Amino acid sequence: MYITVLFSLFVAFGLFSLASGHPNVLFVVSDDLRPALGTYGTRSVISPHIDSLANRSVVFTRAYVQQAVCAPSRTSFLTGRRPDSTKLYSNRGTYWRQAAGNFSTLPQHFKENGYFTASIGKVFHNGNVSGHNDDYPYSWSVPPFHPPTEKFTRAKVCSNPDGSLHQNLLCPVDISTQPGGSLPDIESTDHVIEILHNLSTHKPFFLALGYHKPHIPFKFPKEYLDLYPLEEITLPSDRHYPHGLPPVAWDPWTDVREREDVAALNVSFPYGPMPDDFSRKIIQHYYASTTYVDNEFGRVLKALSDKGLDNNTVIVFFGDHDNAEPYHQWRQETKQTARPKETHSVLLLWSCVYGNWHSCCARRKPFGQYQFPCLSACLSSLFVCLFRMKQNSAFSLRFLWHSQSKVFLWSTVATTTQ
């Protein structure tokens, strides 16, 4: 059966001491990031900064999100409510405050308890599903920052061998030739660094940073592609439509077909197959996009350290859901299904703010190898600051552990009865 463990139980363990003041929180989410990182065993992916953080963090190997679609997943982990409660199942739904209830969010709770809160990049899924303002001013102290070059996401800036520009799926670029002379994730990183340099030390912060990559299109600085020679890319062994699989379980991904480089392949509808050489390029570009995100995240970690904030900041790094596309000719295990591979999420948690838990958690192990008291001490570093706040019953951390399948689910929950 599922066992629900609330954060309040962690207090009973007495495994941490409460330090004076409140810790800062750096809350980083990467779009469509699957657990294909060095720390998750994919040694072919170059992710030194994420791996370095993981080496001193708790790494969850069985963390799953509620749904493998951006808007419902992000709304769920930011409100602590299931999609059935937020009434949001797609990226084209209705703002939950209007459709479901005036639910408090995780950043809102920090904001209402004295924190400076800011959203940089893609944190909430923007548009109607977050009120066309990323839930500002409820969740954020200042208007959310969206990188100026985000508006060129669908621009024809991808160069073909003949020099012509197109709207492609595969889009390594020379930054100097791009509109605005930059890319969204670079601008988001620059903005976070600027905030860190200018923040007052008298008020704790909750900075939520959302990277757009490795979501499609695979647009990134072209030098990252050199790290992944195409001849070293291997294809998955089984990329074919399983006999008897119902169509609802297999997505032909019409939005990918709309990209000009894919359209030029004239892949048969609905299920391909995709040519092997192009499939290798998809995997290559996904890996390169991941390394690009890793490098930008490394810049943030350096800025945090340079400012002397790393020892008083809880860092959470995770993906909003998996992305199976690079590993299949089409998304056989599409991110829009509820299969385990698509809801499987990267989740790292690091802090040395509270207590003396680091001695038992410094040597990283998969989730299942931790003794529960040690694990609870590590996790409580983030959420103890919520417990200390006046409205400490408003949020807690829910763990669901299925003893037979050994699956770990996590979410912040707004009430203990949710």
Side-chain angles (χ1 to χ4, degrees):
M1 66 176 182
Y2 282 101
I3 303 172
T4 301
V5 183
L6 300 177
F7 167 69
S8 56
L9 294 181
F10 292 152
V11 180
F13 281 109
L15 294 172
F16 53 84
S17 60
L18 294 180
S20 59
H22 298 300
N24 303 307
V25 179
L26 178 63
F27 191 80
V28 184
V29 57
S30 180
D31 201 350
D32 274 20
L33 180 66
R34 73 189 333 257
L37 300 165
T39 191
Y40 281 88
T42 307
R43 301 305 176 188
S44 55
V45 174
I46 302 170
S47 50
H49 300 101
I50 298 172
D51 293 345
S52 177
L53 177 68
N55 284 335
R56 60 185 192 272
S57 299
V58 181
V59 178
F60 294 92
T61 59
R62 290 281 186 173
Y64 292 81
V65 298
Q66 292 286 338
Q67 192 171 333
V69 182
C70 293
S73 173
R74 290 165 184 261
T75 300
S76 179
F77 64 65
L78 287 165
T79 63
R81 305 277 178 151
R82 297 182 298 270
D84 282 346
S85 298
T86 63
K87 308 302 180 186
L88 184 59
Y89 304 99
S90 74
N91 292 337
R92 297 178 176 84
T94 306
Y95 188 27
W96 82 88
R97 292 191 188 273
Q98 298 172 351
N102 192 29
F103 306 139
S104 293
T105 69
L106 183 63
Q108 178 182 355
H109 191 65
F110 276 89
K111 177 174 177 281
E112 291 173 351
N113 286 273
Y115 275 68
F116 170 80
T117 62
S119 171
I120 303 97
K122 184 178 178 181
V123 180
F124 279 102
H125 191 83
N126 60 5
N128 188 55
V129 294
S130 57
H132 296 284
N133 56 13
D134 291 10
D135 200 45
Y136 175 78
Y138 300 104
S139 291
W140 313 112
S141 304
V142 293
F145 173 83
H146 287 282
T149 57
E150 186 179 305
K151 63 186 175 184
F152 302 117
T153 297
R154 291 188 173 272
K156 294 188 176 186
V157 297
C158 311
S159 179
N160 277 4
D162 62 1
S164 58
L165 297 179
H166 299 269
Q167 186 191 97
N168 289 343
L169 175 67
L170 311 181
C171 190
V173 298
D174 179 347
I175 294 180
S176 65
T177 66
Q178 292 303 291
S182 190
L183 293 174
D185 287 344
I186 295 174
E187 291 178 316
S188 292
T189 297
D190 290 342
H191 192 72
V192 169
I193 293 173
E194 181 181 358
I195 290 176
L196 290 173
H197 284 166
N198 296 328
L199 272 177
S200 167
T201 58
H202 301 294
K203 194 172 187 178
F205 63 75
F206 180 102
L207 296 184
L209 168 60
Y211 285 123
H212 288 75
K213 298 305 162 196
H215 193 287
I216 64 169
F218 300 126
K219 186 193 300 183
F220 52 85
K222 63 182 181 180
E223 55 266 27
Y224 288 98
L225 204 60
D226 297 335
L227 300 174
Y228 298 97
L230 193 60
E231 61 272 14
E232 297 180 9
I233 301 297
T234 58
L235 293 174
S237 58
D238 182 8
R239 301 186 296 122
H240 303 288
Y241 183 84
H243 178 70
L245 186 73
V248 70
W250 188 298
D251 193 335
W253 268 91
T254 53
D255 62 337
V256 172
R257 292 175 180 272
E258 292 171 357
R259 308 287 171 169
E260 294 181 45
D261 52 349
V262 177
L265 299 173
N266 197 28
V267 177
S268 62
F269 189 87
Y271 306 131
M274 177 74 74
D276 285 354
D277 60 338
F278 199 81
S279 294
R280 284 191 177 89
K281 290 180 180 179
I282 290 177
I283 297 174
Q284 177 195 38
H285 284 65
Y286 183 86
Y287 285 172
S289 296
T290 300
T291 301
Y292 164 49
V293 168
D294 177 84
N295 188 68
E296 293 307 306
F297 181 53
R299 293 175 57 208
V300 175
L301 293 178
K302 184 179 184 302
L304 199 68
S305 177
D306 290 346
K307 187 71 173 177
L309 296 169
D310 49 336
N311 287 331
N312 191 40
T313 301
V314 177
I315 302 174
V316 184
F317 181 91
F318 62 106
D320 63 347
H321 47 72
D322 201 330
N323 182 345
E325 180 173 278
Y327 299 89
H328 300 273
Q329 59 184 15
W330 288 116
R331 293 195 185 187
Q332 295 184 16
E333 293 165 330
T334 172
K335 74 173 188 177
Q336 293 187 343
T337 73
R339 298 178 186 177
K341 280 193 175 182
E342 284 61 68
T343 55
H344 194 190
S345 173
V346 173
L347 176 59
L348 313 178
L349 175 62
W350 180 84
S351 172
C352 63
V353 175
Y354 288 111
N356 188 26
W357 61 266
H358 194 267
S359 61
C360 68
C361 296
R363 293 185 298 276
R364 179 183 59 82
K365 301 177 184 178
F367 169 78
Q369 296 180 21
Y370 277 108
Q371 295 296 320
F372 183 73
C374 176
L375 175 68
S376 64
C378 299
L379 290 174
S380 61
S381 297
L382 172 61
F383 293 95
V384 68
C385 48
L386 288 173
F387 182 80
R388 287 183 52 136
M389 297 174 184
K390 292 180 181 179
Q391 301 172 357
N392 56 64
S393 62
F395 268 93
S396 57
L397 183 63
R398 170 179 287 179
F399 298 94
L400 298 178
W401 175 254
H402 193 273
S403 58
Q404 293 181 340
S405 60
K406 293 182 169 30
V407 170
F408 171 75
L409 305 172
W410 72 283
S411 67
T412 50
V413 293
T415 67
T416 57
T417 58
Q418 171 60 16

